[in-house]
Every structure is written in C-alpha cells, then in structure tokens.
C-alpha cells in the first residue's frame, strides 16, 4: 500500500552554515591604518595639551580611518576650542576632493594628556552640540598610556549608542609616516595655552608661549586667585574638567612646579 504523502509532515530544512554566518550580526569595530594611528600618537606627544581632529575614512568602509586631520584650534590641558572658520574651510575642502560628509565628519578624534581616556563633561557637550543631528557619529579619545575610548552613537530609528573596540589594521596597504609634515601641521593648527588666556597675564609671555613648547613654563602658583578672576562660565568649564580628570591634578608635586 502506498503511503499518503499528503499526511506526512515535512521537517524544516536546516539552514546552511553559510547562510547562518551571513545572518549573524557583525559587531562594529573602529579601525585605524598604521599611518593614521602613528600621526595621532605623534600629535598627542608633540605638546602638553589636548589635540582634536577628524578621522577620514575609506568610502566603502566608514569605520576604517585612513587619515587623521587637524584644523586650527586653541588647545589647553583640559579643553579644545575649534576655530569656526577653520571647520567651514575643512568641510569645503573635503567636499572639493570628492569626499562625502560621512567620510570626514562623523569620527571626532581627540587626545587626553593624562592617563584617562574617559570623556569629560565638556567632551559630552561638544559631541552632542556638533554631532547630535548626524545620523551617526563616533567620539574617539586616546590617552597618554595608549588607553582608548570609542563610542558609536546613531540617531536614526530608535537611536542608541554603544562602546566599540579599536584596532590598528595592518592588513590593508598604508603610507609611510611623514614626521616633518606632521610637525608643520601641528605648528600651523595647534595654538596652545595654559588652561586659558586669562591664566597668562603677561602678553609677552603669551606670545612666546604660542610659538614655543609650553613645557618650559610652569602653572601659576596662585591658581585659586586665577580662577576667581575668570568669567563664571570659563571657571565652570575648568572646574568641570578637573572634576572628571583627576590625572591632571592628583600628583600635586608635578602640577604645581
């Protein structure tokens, strides 16, 4: 007697391993080319302040940073102020080269002179103000000891944010380092100061400091007096930075020379 095939239940077919691998979500990773990574470290170590710039990425791999680019900025040990005109010029020049905004204006890179890569209150405020309307953006921080912080935030759909790992990718072709060009870019774009202009009373000292290595100068002894003379908003920013950056003041013998 023939079996009635219509009464037999068919077992679900197993998906191929290839299909299962394809459907498995891939965790995002922020990757740097060795050249971009070397330049970032070089800028971090050229002076005593924070340094800010943008990661420029491969057009087909938006989490692969091929170049680190800075613009004109006022930098202190606790904060960075980007020149508005320089930001506009950078945006225009990148568009002129054929880059799209997601290639050059989504990954904000900056350094911390201490050993903590965690974002400060000012970092969070800047990230929200500058990148809050982007469909996605990354805040990346590199500290002195090589520790990193990388957070991906996306503002589409339900929105959200996650911490993502950071790797230096040696599997792709990369350019050689160019230390002379990097130092020239540093001198052209990074204007360093001791916390703020109000901390340096002598205009001649300020002019000298802008053209030389600030490591030759020491922080003023009367820091409390200097803080009292600041505008309230400026004082709030400095105190907020110190509150979340104990690495800047925990060793009193080194800070108060």
């Amino acid at each position: 007697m023939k079996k009635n095939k219509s009464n037999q239940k068919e077992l679900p077919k197993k998906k191929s391993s290839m299909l299962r691998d394809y459907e498995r979500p891939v965790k995002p990773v922020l990757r740097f080319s060795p050249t971009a990574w070397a330049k970032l470290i070089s800028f971090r170590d050229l002076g005593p302040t924070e340094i800010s710039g943008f990661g420029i990425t491969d057009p087909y791999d938006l989490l692969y940073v091929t170049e680190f680019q800075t613009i004109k900025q006022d930098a202190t040990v606790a904060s960075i102020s980007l020149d508005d005109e320089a930001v506009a010029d950078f945006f225009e020049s990148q568009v002129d080269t054929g880059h799209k905004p997601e290639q050059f204006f989504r990954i904000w890179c900056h350094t911390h002179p201490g050993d903590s890569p965690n974002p400060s209150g000012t970092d969070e405020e800047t990230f929200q103000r500058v990148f809050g309307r982007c469909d996605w953006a990354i805040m990346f921080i590199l500290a002195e000891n090589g520790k990193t912080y990388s957070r991906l935030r996306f503002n589409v759909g339900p929105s959200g944010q996650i911490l993502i790992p950071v790797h230096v990718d040696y599997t792709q072709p990369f350019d050689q380092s160019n230390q002379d060009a990097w130092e020239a870019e540093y001198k052209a774009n990074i204007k360093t100061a001791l916390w703020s202009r109000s901390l340096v009373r002598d205009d001649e000292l300020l002019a000298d400091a802008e053209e030389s290595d600030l490591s030759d100068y020491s922080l003023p002894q009367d820091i409390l007096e200097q803080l009292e003379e600041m505008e309230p908003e400026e004082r709030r920013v400095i105190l907020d930075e110190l509150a979340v950056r104990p690495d800047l003041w925990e060793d009193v013998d080194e800070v108060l020379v």
Side-chain angles (χ1 to χ4, degrees), residues 214-233:
L214 285 179
S215 60
D216 294 336
Y217 299 98
S218 60
L219 290 176
Q221 297 288 345
D222 54 342
I223 291 180
L224 290 178
E225 180 181 343
Q226 300 292 328
L227 288 172
E228 291 174 353
E229 294 178 356
M230 291 180 183
E231 294 295 327
E233 180 63 20

Side-chain angles (χ1 to χ4, degrees), residues 45-49 186-187 192-194 205 207-218:
D45 296 341
L46 278 172
T49 68
Y186 180 91
K187 292 178 180 179
T192 56
L194 297 178
L205 174 60
D208 291 340
E210 291 176 350
E211 300 177 358
S212 61
D213 185 357
L214 285 179
S215 60
D216 294 336
Y217 299 98
S218 60

Side-chain angles (χ1 to χ4, degrees), residues 196-212:
S196 71
R197 292 182 180 273
S198 64
L199 286 178
V200 185
R201 296 177 176 177
D202 191 329
D203 292 340
E204 182 177 351
L205 174 60
L206 178 58
D208 291 340
E210 291 176 350
E211 300 177 358
S212 61

